[in-house]
Amino acid sequence: MFGGSKLEKSIDRRVFKFIFREIRDMGSREIKSPEDILETPASLEVDGRSRKKLGVFFIESDNRRTAFGRGYTGGSTPVDIHGKPIADLSKTGGWIAALFIFGNEMAERMAYFGLSVNMVAFMFYVMHRPFSSSSNAVNNFLGISQASSVLGGFLADAYLGRYWTIAIFTTIYLAGLIGITLCASMKIFVPNQDQCDQLSLLLGSCEPAKPWQMLYLYVVLYITAFGAAGIRPCVSSFGADQFDERSKDYKTLLDRFFNFFYLCVTIGAIVAFTLVVYIQIERGWGAAFGSLAIAMGVSNMLFFAGTPLYRHRLPGGSPLTRVAQVLVAAFKKRHVPFTRSELVGLYELPGRHSAIKGSGKIRHTDDFRCLDKAALQLKEDGGNPSPWRLCTVTQVEEVKILVKLIPIPACTIMLNVILTEFITLSIQQAYTLNTHIGKLKLPVTCMPVFPGLSIFLVLCLYYSVFVPVSRRITGHPHGASQLQRVGIGLFISILSVAWGGVFERFRRGYAIKHGYEFSFLTPMPDLSAYWLLIQYCLIGIAEVFSIVGLLEFLYEEAPDAMKSIGSAYAAIAGGLGCFAASIINSIVKSVTRNPENKQQSWLSQNINNAKFDYFYWLLAVLSIINFCIFLYSAHRYKYRTEPTFEAWETKQNILAEDS
């Protein structure tokens, strides 16, 4: 049933044939457990290295009472907001329910990118803070809002469920945005703006913000970041929960859902880089931040309005506690050999029910065999063992899955480093270039909209162009597997940053040749900023393939009761990318700067004297190394096949083998 030796398969076949014979002869009578037939709950085979192949054999009727009353229905069982099974699934879920959820993520992304673009300038021009400290504060905001997603994922999977986690944290997010709007709208929260012109700002002679004013701004800013912690890991998972796993086209629906989900993310970013920037220029800071608060408020109302349509999954209790139980139990039995005579077998509840609320069973694998000792059932464990001494196979496999997932999102940290660097470095490049389109001059802060536009275009053409072409090459029904899509994105990100280095070398040479070496804030009229579109479009395409593929991969591969934590892996990788970018910048500045020889760093403020091209190529080398690591990790990874206890499917396989 679970693979293994010929002996195991032979035993499996005998067990199933007996069961099917009983079904045929006794009609609707309950299926007997294989433990009633064979006295072997775990098959043991010793290979040449005396390593035992372990398997678990539990197949029982869904109606059988589970041991000690600890069983729960499978993780695929949808419930309503009160935790009761939904009688008529046709009235809930689906695309209509998902649309109410999309709006929340779109507003959150709009606020996230709106703040990332405007907050540095607000702190510099209004709060009169140095540019370096303003950038660090915003980078911390970006990093915290993503890295803290593990907290929201934990609360959703452990106690609150995804719906209530989103409901609580989106309200916190709205409160933070209202606080930022008040700071930008009321004079009491900002320093005196009189006699503070452009020259005074550059000389640093404007009245600085008072400590309490900066404290207020930092508090509301980090409240907003904390609000994102519960939205980001839950929205994509909660939206995916609205589709029925038993549907024949479930895989296709899920694939389209995550593409459409990221399309909404992109729309939010495009609005932030265009409309919000326009409002700030025309109406001021208060109106710009207020528009973000209004968008979040409207999305909250839509989210709550869709409550009767949502399908929910029961939270499975603290996942960290279950992980700790596995580690403690495995440590306690670390000296127990697999061949010990008192060994009863691997512990699991009979039937399809799981000991973990909101989770289906997970079949046993041979990875991380040291953790299997947490599920080794000894006679001394008794009839009702402590979970800190004996864990079920499903609980052990949860921990294995979480560990096996780590390398894949970890390999996307480098992609997020490039995305973070492009937001800042390409803006500095754009200040030296001509941003006119005919008679229209685009603000430099609008330049990051182009990666969003490329993402939008790719997502719109994905199913009409990429999937049919790649399907002929790979034979995959969706054009490429999830890991293949992540790999394609990482490869394209290498091309984007390499092109960035090539163009920057040309741009710097052009500036020096035409006398702009010391005029790094003066646009060069004959050199268009739209050469940057090549690297923007490449990184946008890379983001589509990698991030969308990663989100779908994490949702499908994560355990039933840990879907939000699985999705949080992607957000954590994004946060670590922000922090890693800051660390790399600091290292490069300190290593490449030599005050004794008056040698400026590669990332000098005067971009025409700096060596941004060297920095881009350094990122390209790091990305190539990261890509090689990903190829190795992806090659070793085995997709998790959902266990099935459906007797009919198993019967067909056995009959096919016998024939």
Side-chain angles (χ1 to χ4, degrees):
M1 178 178 68
F2 294 101
S5 67
K6 294 181 179 179
L7 174 60
E8 290 173 325
K9 293 180 178 178
S10 176
I11 294 175
D12 284 346
R13 191 173 290 109
R14 289 164 48 202
V15 172
F16 284 115
K17 285 185 176 180
F18 178 87
I19 293 173
F20 299 136
R21 192 180 304 115
E22 290 294 304
I23 295 175
R24 181 188 62 193
D25 297 340
M26 295 183 289
S28 60
R29 282 194 297 168
E30 182 178 277
I31 302 174
K32 291 185 178 181
S33 169
E35 291 81 35
D36 299 333
I37 309 167
L38 299 172
E39 297 295 332
T40 312
S43 66
L44 311 179
E45 179 186 353
V46 181
D47 60 19
R49 292 174 295 173
S50 298
R51 291 186 59 188
K52 185 169 57 177
K53 186 80 172 178
L54 299 176
V56 185
F57 299 93
F58 286 114
I59 303 179
E60 293 202 0
S61 166
D62 290 343
N63 298 323
R64 182 183 291 274
R65 182 179 299 174
T66 57
F68 316 122
R70 292 170 54 189
Y72 297 98
T73 57
S76 60
T77 303
V79 296
D80 60 19
I81 194 172
H82 303 293
K84 298 179 180 179
I86 300 175
D88 187 0
L89 291 178
S90 63
K91 297 181 179 179
T92 60
W95 285 108
I96 296 179
L99 289 175
F100 285 95
I101 300 170
F102 284 145
N104 196 265
E105 177 65 11
M106 189 184 300
E108 191 275 327
R109 294 283 84 186
M110 177 179 167
Y112 175 84
F113 288 109
L115 292 175
S116 66
V117 170
N118 292 291
M119 186 53 66
V120 174
F122 175 76
M123 288 187 178
F124 179 75
Y125 287 107
V126 179
M127 306 303 287
H128 307 155
R129 300 295 298 173
F131 186 80
S132 58
S133 64
S134 301
S135 299
N136 289 336
V138 174
N139 283 338
N140 290 336
F141 161 76
L142 299 178
I144 291 173
S145 66
Q146 296 193 77
S148 61
S149 297
V150 68
L151 173 63
F154 167 77
L155 292 176
D157 287 339
Y159 305 111
L160 300 177
R162 287 184 265 279
Y163 172 84
W164 288 112
T165 302
I166 296 173
I168 293 172
F169 280 85
T170 195
T171 305
I172 295 174
Y173 204 116
L174 177 60
L177 289 175
I178 292 174
I180 294 174
T181 303
L182 293 176
C183 180
S185 303
M186 302 178 66
K187 293 183 178 180
I188 189 174
F189 292 114
V190 298
N192 188 1
Q193 306 296 316
D194 295 338
Q195 299 179 349
C196 185
D197 54 17
Q198 190 78 10
L199 180 61
S200 300
L201 282 170
L202 293 175
L203 296 176
S205 59
C206 293
E207 178 184 328
K210 298 179 177 62
W212 73 267
Q213 292 173 331
M214 290 306 303
L215 176 62
Y216 172 80
L217 178 58
Y218 285 143
V219 168
V220 294
L221 184 62
Y222 292 131
I223 285 176
T224 306
F226 180 70
I231 299 175
R232 192 161 303 157
C234 297
V235 172
S236 60
S237 299
F238 189 50
D241 288 344
Q242 307 309 310
F243 299 95
D244 190 357
E245 294 179 357
R246 296 168 296 182
S247 173
K248 293 182 179 180
D249 55 351
Y250 174 69
K251 294 287 186 180
T252 301
L253 290 173
L254 205 61
D255 181 67
R256 291 182 179 274
F257 164 78
F258 280 105
N259 278 278
F260 193 74
F261 172 81
Y262 210 72
L263 182 62
C264 293
V265 171
T266 304
I267 292 174
I270 292 174
V271 172
F273 291 136
T274 54
L275 181 60
V276 176
V277 171
Y278 173 79
I279 293 175
Q280 185 274 315
I281 294 174
E282 295 295 326
R283 300 295 180 182
W285 297 104
F289 295 138
S291 65
L292 301 178
I294 292 172
M296 180 58 70
V298 172
S299 74
N300 287 1
M301 290 189 291
L302 291 175
F303 176 77
F304 290 119
T307 299
L309 301 175
Y310 299 146
R311 298 173 183 174
H312 305 260
R313 302 290 175 89
L314 295 173
S318 172
L320 297 183
T321 300
R322 296 200 301 276
V323 171
Q325 288 172 344
V326 170
L327 298 179
V328 170
F331 180 79
K332 288 181 177 179
K333 296 180 179 179
R334 64 191 183 280
H335 297 306
V336 178
F338 286 113
T339 55
R340 180 172 166 177
S341 59
E342 293 86 357
L343 174 67
V344 175
L346 291 179
Y347 178 63
E348 181 61 281
L349 295 184
R352 291 183 59 186
H353 296 81
S354 169
I356 302 170
K357 188 176 182 181
S359 173
K361 280 188 176 179
I362 305 175
R363 75 173 53 174
H364 173 260
T365 63
D366 290 326
D367 300 315
F368 304 107
R369 287 172 59 91
C370 59
L371 295 178
D372 282 335
K373 295 200 173 181
L376 281 179
Q377 185 176 10
L378 307 176
K379 292 180 180 179
E380 61 198 57
D381 289 329
N384 190 8
S386 167
W388 293 95
R389 179 170 179 81
L390 180 63
C391 304
T392 64
V393 169
T394 295
Q395 188 174 342
V396 172
E397 292 300 320
E398 277 190 331
V399 180
K400 291 182 182 181
I401 291 171
L402 289 182
V403 174
K404 288 188 290 186
L405 287 178
I406 290 176
I408 304 303
C411 288
T412 64
I413 292 176
M414 196 61 216
L415 172 65
N416 288 284
V417 169
I418 296 174
L419 289 170
T420 303
E421 298 290 6
F422 272 173
I423 290 177
T424 55
L425 300 184
S426 62
I427 290 295
Q428 288 182 260
Q429 290 176 295
Y431 271 115
T432 69
L433 302 172
N434 182 3
T435 59
H436 282 84
I437 300 179
K439 295 183 179 181
L440 176 64
K441 184 180 187 300
L442 288 181
V444 171
T445 51
C446 283
M447 294 302 292
V449 74
F450 290 104
L453 292 175
S454 66
I455 293 173
F456 184 86
L457 180 62
V458 171
L459 288 174
C460 291
L461 299 177
Y462 184 82
Y463 290 103
S464 59
V465 177
F466 172 76
V467 172
V469 172
S470 59
R471 185 185 291 140
R472 295 179 181 179
I473 300 174
T474 64
H476 194 280
H478 299 148
S481 68
Q482 296 152 359
L483 290 180
Q484 286 173 340
R485 280 182 279 169
V486 175
I488 291 172
L490 294 180
F491 177 76
I492 296 176
S493 71
I494 298 173
L495 300 180
S496 70
V497 75
W499 166 257
V502 171
F503 173 71
E504 173 55 24
R505 187 174 183 85
F506 171 78
R507 188 209 62 79
R508 182 164 55 87
Y510 184 93
I512 295 173
K513 180 179 179 180
H514 291 82
Y516 290 94
E517 184 174 359
F518 300 103
S519 303
F520 61 94
L521 291 181
T522 302
M524 295 179 285
D526 296 329
L527 190 58
S528 174
Y530 299 102
W531 282 103
L532 295 173
L533 293 186
I534 297 177
Q535 66 196 57
Y536 279 151
C537 291
L538 287 174
I539 196 62
I541 296 171
E543 191 174 358
V544 168
F545 282 97
S546 283
I547 304 302
V548 175
L550 180 64
L551 287 173
E552 184 178 347
F553 168 78
L554 292 174
Y555 180 81
E556 288 202 39
E557 295 296 301
D560 289 333
M562 295 185 178
K563 296 290 188 185
S564 298
I565 287 184
S567 298
Y569 274 12
I572 293 173
L576 292 178
C578 294
F579 293 132
S582 298
I583 294 172
I584 293 174
N585 290 349
S586 299
I587 294 175
V588 168
K589 286 179 181 178
S590 63
V591 171
T592 60
R593 183 173 179 267
N594 191 341
E596 296 180 357
N597 298 333
K598 297 183 180 180
Q599 177 181 331
Q600 296 182 347
S601 73
W602 290 359
L603 300 177
S604 172
Q605 185 171 350
N606 183 349
I607 187 174
N608 293 334
N609 284 332
K611 297 291 191 296
F612 277 28
D613 51 339
Y614 291 0
F615 183 72
Y616 278 136
W617 289 332
L618 172 63
L619 294 181
V621 172
L622 294 176
S623 297
I624 292 173
I625 296 173
N626 176 75
F627 182 66
C628 294
I629 296 173
F630 169 80
L631 291 179
Y632 174 77
S633 301
H635 177 71
R636 288 179 56 87
Y637 188 85
K638 295 180 180 179
Y639 284 96
R640 183 166 74 93
T641 303
E642 291 294 335
T644 175
F645 294 86
E646 296 297 330
W648 177 254
E649 293 182 3
T650 309
K651 177 182 179 181
Q652 300 306 311
N653 294 334
I654 294 175
L655 292 177
E657 290 181 10
D658 289 343
S659 62

